[in-house]
Amino acid sequence: MPESDFDLTWYHGSQQKLTELRVGSSITQIRDLAKAFSHRPSLVSRSCPDEFLSDKCRVKHDGVTPGILYTVSEGIGPEDIYPHPHPANADGWEWLTRRELKLKFIEETIVSDHERLTDDDIAEIRRKQRERGEETFSEKSD
């Protein structure tokens, strides 16, 4: 699992108006991933061709709910978070909080067409998951 650069921005996507994040909440340093989470997806596909936290990461999902994107507005250190334990998180793209964290509102989000997984995308992801004997909400593209 990669080391995090704690000086980079941390994001949280939600459907609720918040000022503070509860213990055990999910955060990420990938803005488009947090935005995708704000839409309550049941399936997420991410592709990061260069660096893991690159702004070239492409995130697609099947969520439809309008949401809200936040940044964590206070410093975070290694003692404040831990990697989400689900198997799809082997690359360390999602972290859980050990303490409450203050949030700053960034924007309300709506799903755009370029973010949306097509029916064909979903069928291909499910086919690959069945071949690997996996069932998860996240798929890392090759």
Side-chain angles (χ1 to χ4, degrees):
M1 186 164 299
E3 292 292 317
S4 282
D5 181 345
F6 290 94
D7 293 330
L8 295 176
T9 303
W10 291 90
Y11 298 95
H12 176 75
S14 180
Q15 302 75 48
Q16 301 174 353
K17 292 185 179 183
L18 303 169
T19 58
E20 196 169 76
L21 205 51
R22 296 181 304 194
V23 172
S25 295
S26 174
I27 61 175
T28 182
Q29 290 181 311
I30 303 172
R31 180 186 174 111
D32 285 348
L33 189 61
K35 186 178 175 190
F37 286 159
S38 79
H39 300 303
R40 307 247 348 138
S42 64
L43 191 61
V44 175
S45 175
R46 67 202 192 295
S47 175
C48 300
D50 298 326
E51 299 175 21
F52 174 69
L53 293 175
S54 167
D55 60 359
K56 296 177 185 171
C57 284
R58 199 171 93 193
V59 178
K60 295 179 84 175
H61 59 86
D62 66 349
V64 296
T65 305
I68 303 170
L69 182 65
Y70 298 94
T71 58
V72 175
S73 63
E74 60 183 285
I76 295 178
E79 69 282 357
D80 297 321
I81 60 173
Y82 60 99
H84 195 297
H86 61 64
N89 193 40
D91 292 332
W93 49 274
E94 184 180 8
W95 301 80
L96 299 177
T97 60
R98 293 186 195 274
R99 66 178 177 92
E100 293 178 349
L101 297 168
K102 295 192 183 322
L103 294 174
K104 178 183 173 188
F105 169 86
I106 298 298
E107 65 181 348
E108 292 185 8
T109 62
I110 57 170
V111 180
S112 62
D113 287 341
H114 76 276
E115 297 174 76
R116 204 177 313 251
L117 287 168
T118 66
D119 290 343
D120 288 344
D121 293 335
I122 292 170
E124 180 64 11
I125 289 168
R126 295 291 186 207
R127 184 191 64 74
K128 287 179 182 178
Q129 289 175 335
R130 280 191 305 275
E131 284 178 0
R132 293 188 304 257
E134 298 175 351
E135 188 173 325
T136 180
F137 79 95
S138 176
E139 174 70 22
K140 182 177 177 187
S141 300
D142 297 327

